[in-house]
Amino acid sequence: MRMKFLSSICLFVLAFAFISCGDQKRSVDDASILTPSSSGRPYEIMVVAEDSIWDGYVGRALDDVLNTPLKGLPQEESLFHVSHIVPEHYDRVTNLFRNIIVIDIGELYTKASFKIVRNLHAAPQMIMTIQGPSVLDVSVFITENTKFITDFFGNEEINRTVRALNKRHNIEFSKKVQDMFGCDMYIPVDINKMKIGDNFIWASNDALTGIQNIVIYSYPYVSEKVFTKHAYVALRDSFMKVNIPGGQPNQYMATDYEHVDVKNMKIQDSFVQEARGLWQMENDGMGGPFVAHSVVDTVNNRVVVVEGFVYAPEKMKRSMVRRLEASLYTLKLPSGKDAEKKEDKK
């Protein structure tokens, strides 16, 4: 079993036939040079509350919210890693944590509410205080605002990664995306191997463990019917079968239809379909999670798809998927003015 597993990995990597890409120099952070760097890792949240509060209704309500599973992973992993300290230990060291939730219950409050402060003690940092007059008020308020809390910290982490990518990213990949698709997109510098196909780019970090990948492709926009789950999976499979083969002729990437969730949303006034789910290598034992955005390019009457997928059977995958997901948000489609400029040059 072990030899077969290792052989599958080797065949998958060999099938990629990578070429190297470039890097971009590091730039300074937006924060003041006097502001210390925050501690903690992405998607970690420290809760400041008395033990009696944390062990009671409020703590259980907040723990349930923050430990909501992230969709589209092969094993259940929570949205955030949560730690807890009492207020007496909230000092000049612990207040440097990147994501902090403070629970403040007292009679001076007439109703439960949020108070949010950015970069108070460190950068990047977000401190959310959940305050209210009683344990019952605060616990109910937390449960009622589950989506706001998870989206707030999740979006903040995405935005932090996007800001970092704006400053430092793989330049060669960005140039190739601009040349082939007329779009801008930024990916991490360590994802520095590329394979170019017909209307398709596959980039990877080509790592020994924790393989992280980005792909981009496009197809003509025919009607809104392309944004059904069935159409998305069929189109994805058609591109992946051709462009991401395994080590044998009958091996290729496919989508696990039963474990795909799609939803529609808007990003910068553009319609986007988000898909999360699992991929698998047909006739092989490989597989893993993916997240994708399908965006309507009204200028060119097409749909541009950007996707991140992970192969890491030996590791937890939430942080890797989230890291790739941030790259999807850097996609910028050509505007009408951009199209006019290109026509003028011809």
Side-chain angles (χ1 to χ4, degrees):
M1 291 293 290
R2 179 175 174 81
M3 288 299 294
K4 182 179 179 181
F5 175 73
L6 291 174
S7 176
S8 297
I9 295 177
C10 293
L11 290 173
F12 181 70
V13 173
L14 286 173
F16 201 109
F18 291 118
I19 58 175
S20 294
C21 296
D23 188 339
Q24 186 180 43
K25 293 182 179 179
R26 183 187 301 272
S27 59
V28 296
D29 191 80
D30 289 335
S32 166
I33 59 174
L34 299 178
T35 305
S37 297
S38 56
S39 59
R41 296 180 179 180
Y43 301 96
E44 290 185 338
I45 297 178
M46 181 178 70
V47 179
V48 182
E50 297 287 357
D51 283 335
S52 59
I53 299 298
W54 180 247
D55 294 334
Y57 291 114
V58 171
R60 287 196 290 272
L62 188 56
D63 195 56
D64 286 344
V65 169
L66 299 178
N67 282 294
T68 301
L70 177 63
K71 291 182 178 180
L73 298 180
Q75 298 89 25
E76 185 173 295
E77 296 182 54
S78 61
L79 289 171
F80 305 97
H81 176 76
V82 184
S83 60
H84 163 246
I85 64 169
V86 294
E88 296 79 48
H89 295 158
Y90 187 46
D91 54 27
R92 295 178 63 182
V93 175
T94 55
N95 69 12
L96 299 180
F97 210 76
R98 64 192 290 122
N99 299 312
I100 300 173
I101 295 178
V102 178
I103 303 297
D104 186 11
I105 298 175
E107 295 179 354
L108 69 159
Y109 303 114
T110 58
K111 63 178 182 178
S113 62
F114 294 111
K115 183 176 75 173
I116 295 169
V117 181
R118 182 190 298 271
N119 298 341
L120 179 62
H121 306 293
Q125 183 183 61
M126 193 63 72
I127 302 176
M128 171 188 284
T129 300
I130 305 177
Q131 54 198 25
S134 70
V135 166
L136 179 60
D137 286 314
V138 171
S139 59
V140 170
F141 183 74
I142 288 171
T143 302
E144 290 177 343
N145 288 276
T146 293
K147 188 175 187 304
F148 174 81
I149 295 170
T150 56
D151 285 354
F152 178 81
F153 284 104
N155 292 340
E156 179 62 22
E157 289 290 6
I158 290 287
N159 290 335
R160 288 167 180 168
T161 306
V162 168
R163 288 194 292 269
L165 287 170
N166 285 335
K167 297 173 183 177
R168 185 170 185 258
H169 52 267
N170 184 322
I171 292 178
E172 291 303 316
F173 175 86
S174 296
K175 288 180 178 178
K176 184 60 68 174
V177 169
Q178 182 60 235
D179 290 343
M180 290 181 61
F181 298 95
C183 302
D184 292 323
M185 184 179 178
Y186 302 147
I187 66 172
V189 294
D190 63 298
I191 301 179
N192 58 3
K193 311 294 182 183
M194 279 199 301
K195 180 183 177 184
I196 309 301
D198 182 15
N199 193 35
F200 192 95
I201 301 176
W202 175 15
S204 176
N205 63 350
D206 195 22
L208 294 176
T209 62
I211 301 175
Q212 300 174 48
N213 308 267
I214 293 283
V215 300
I216 178 171
Y217 57 92
S218 69
Y219 57 85
Y221 175 72
V222 179
S223 74
E224 60 185 17
K225 292 181 180 179
V226 300
F227 292 108
T228 64
K229 176 180 174 179
H230 179 78
Y232 167 76
V233 172
L235 285 163
R236 181 184 188 274
D237 283 349
S238 67
F239 277 92
M240 297 305 186
K241 183 175 183 178
V242 173
N243 292 283
I244 305 186
Q248 300 297 325
N250 65 339
Q251 294 176 348
Y252 53 88
M253 179 179 282
T255 312
D256 185 345
Y257 186 89
E258 298 302 320
H259 294 92
V260 174
D261 289 303
V262 298
K263 72 174 183 179
N264 299 334
M265 56 188 188
K266 272 198 169 184
I267 300 177
Q268 297 178 350
D269 296 325
S270 295
F271 173 85
V272 178
Q273 182 188 66
E274 178 193 85
R276 294 180 183 273
L278 302 178
W279 64 270
Q280 60 195 18
M281 188 64 70
E282 288 293 317
N283 302 305
D284 196 359
M286 300 180 68
F290 74 87
V291 58
H293 287 177
S294 301
V295 190
V296 177
D297 177 5
T298 56
V299 172
N300 296 294
N301 197 34
R302 63 178 177 172
V303 177
V304 178
V305 183
V306 287
E307 175 182 315
F309 69 90
V310 169
Y311 178 65
E314 75 291 347
K315 293 184 177 183
M316 304 299 278
K317 302 162 186 65
R318 179 201 65 195
S319 296
M320 287 184 280
V321 170
R322 285 297 211 180
R323 180 181 188 237
L324 298 177
E325 183 180 357
S327 288
L328 310 187
Y329 282 90
T330 68
L331 177 69
K332 294 180 182 178
L333 299 176
S335 65
K337 291 183 179 180
D338 292 336
E340 290 173 7
K341 288 179 182 178
K342 289 183 180 180
E343 289 177 2
D344 291 341
K345 291 180 180 179
K346 291 181 179 179

